[in-house]
Amino acid sequence: MSSKKRIYIAGPDLFLPDWPERAAQATALCAEHGLEAVLPVPATMLTGPGVTEPSDAEAANKVFQSCLEAVRNADGVIANLTPFRGSEPDSGTVTECALAYAWGKPVIGYFNGPALPVPEDADTDGRVLAEDGGWIEQFGLTHNVMLHGVCMTIVEDPLKAVVMMASMLRNGQ
């Protein structure tokens, strides 16, 4: 049995064409820092039901249960919170972060590249508005206040997230 701490790797990376390379990089990065990466799906190009062909709710529930169990059995979560399909992180990733937090597991988020710029235009009441007309929180955070509350920290790249998680788990924090 491995003595390495198991870290669930959350994020929308599995939906990208270079998933096998991203998975290999995450696995190697974790291993370099004494952690074992737990991937949500195999590190192969995904095909088949629910991916390249329609499927059903039963198959979707199997995916959900598998990810749920992987998060439950992990010692922590490192999550890619880079905006995905819009200006917010992947909703499945956010769910995994919230579950890990509720189960008392450390969560460290990261985003690739610079944070999205906050628009400077405000309405007559002083609210900064997003493109869709909804207002944006003005706390100086990179992400929504609730996500910042779930994550121990949110950093600018995966290396920082892995180094911080490894250090924290080594020190028993």
Side-chain angles (χ1 to χ4, degrees):
M1 184 161 93
S2 173
S3 63
K4 291 182 178 181
K5 297 291 186 175
R6 296 171 42 84
I7 305 303
Y8 183 80
I9 305 300
D13 304 71
L14 62 99
F15 296 110
L16 301 174
D18 62 346
W19 164 241
E21 292 83 12
R22 288 171 179 262
Q25 289 169 350
T27 300
L29 187 57
C30 283
E32 288 171 22
H33 295 277
L35 303 172
E36 179 184 344
V38 176
L39 303 173
V41 296
T44 60
M45 182 56 70
L46 301 177
T47 61
V51 178
T52 56
E53 57 191 72
S55 192
D56 58 22
E58 182 179 335
N61 189 52
K62 285 180 184 177
V63 171
F64 171 75
Q65 293 299 328
S66 174
C67 292
L68 190 72
E69 197 61 27
V71 172
R72 188 186 324 262
N73 292 328
D75 296 297
V77 171
I78 293 177
N80 181 351
L81 302 176
T82 303
F84 181 69
R85 298 182 188 150
S87 63
E88 291 287 329
D90 171 56
S91 59
T93 302
V94 172
T95 300
E96 291 164 337
C97 290
L99 288 168
Y101 175 81
W103 291 330
K105 299 173 186 297
V107 179
I108 296 178
Y110 72 89
F111 55 95
N112 292 311
L116 287 178
V118 175
E120 295 180 12
D121 297 339
D123 67 11
T124 56
D125 293 323
R127 291 180 189 91
V128 177
L129 302 178
E131 288 181 18
D132 66 2
W135 59 275
I136 299 172
E137 300 161 325
Q138 298 184 62
F139 296 115
L141 302 173
T142 58
H143 292 76
N144 177 281
V145 68
M146 295 302 289
L147 192 51
H148 267 274
V150 164
C151 295
M152 298 183 80
T153 189
I154 299 176
V155 296
E156 299 83 22
D157 64 61
L159 174 59
K160 286 182 184 177
V162 169
V163 168
M164 290 179 80
M165 182 68 78
S167 174
M168 183 190 60
L169 291 174
R170 241 188 331 271
N171 297 324
Q173 296 173 332

